[in-house]
Amino acid sequence: MRPYVPGKAQRVGAIQPIGPVVPLKPINRRYFEPSYNERPEMYPAVHAAPFMASAAMSQQLMQQAGKLLERVQHSSEFATKIMDAAQRGLNDEVVRLIRSTGVSADMHMNFTPEGIILKLVSGTAEKTYCELDLKLRWRE
């Protein structure tokens, strides 16, 4: 058997060379991956107006949440009232306290032994435009 010679391809178990190995040409990706401008038509047309409206409503929710957080952060009496009412299961009192900070958006609340979960919702009953979730811990 002949010794191996780099650059020459040989059949396994054969004595004759089969010829030089030719490198493959790289694949032109343009034919396989459409660019952003060449989007397939299976996607719907893009309308930015609802997205922009949702962003504006989200900013309003964040301002309301900011007022609530500011009050909780700087008033230990207010924070204690919310925690006490939540632990006693007085949901209406918790809502009243939160509304007193200027939160007017619809909200859903959940209390756990570790904290409170608030979901502020903007929109109508049929259509929700945006939601803002706040999760605040009151236990270490």
Side-chain angles (χ1 to χ4, degrees):
M1 191 165 164
R2 294 185 186 163
Y4 172 74
V5 178
K8 281 188 151 186
Q10 297 180 337
R11 290 190 184 110
V12 176
I15 299 176
Q16 311 94 344
I18 58 172
V21 176
V22 180
L24 297 174
K25 293 182 181 178
I27 296 174
N28 187 348
R29 296 220 179 264
R30 183 170 185 260
Y31 295 109
F32 297 102
E33 296 175 4
S35 69
Y36 180 75
N37 295 332
E38 299 171 1
R39 258 186 7 185
E41 292 301 318
M42 66 181 173
Y43 297 111
V46 175
H47 302 289
F51 188 45
M52 294 166 66
S54 180
M57 290 181 194
S58 294
Q59 280 187 323
Q60 292 173 359
L61 290 181
M62 288 181 9
Q63 288 173 353
Q64 292 179 28
K67 291 177 186 176
L68 171 64
L69 296 174
E70 185 81 19
R71 182 89 180 269
V72 169
Q73 179 184 2
H74 295 295
S75 173
S76 64
E77 179 186 347
F78 182 74
T80 303
K81 284 181 182 179
I82 288 182
M83 290 174 63
D84 184 55
Q87 288 177 351
R88 292 175 188 265
L90 304 172
N91 291 350
D92 292 339
E93 178 65 12
V94 175
V95 170
R96 187 191 69 73
L97 289 166
I98 291 173
R99 294 266 185 236
S100 73
T101 64
V103 174
S104 61
D106 291 337
M107 71 177 127
H108 306 284
M109 292 182 302
N110 242 354
F111 309 116
T112 67
E114 286 80 33
I116 184 171
I117 301 168
L118 286 174
K119 180 182 291 241
L120 302 179
V121 182
S122 177
T124 61
E126 303 85 36
K127 188 180 252 184
T128 299
Y129 291 103
C130 57
E131 297 177 352
L132 180 65
D133 291 335
L134 294 173
K135 297 177 182 176
L136 303 172
R137 293 182 59 99
W138 55 44
R139 184 180 286 181
E140 293 186 43

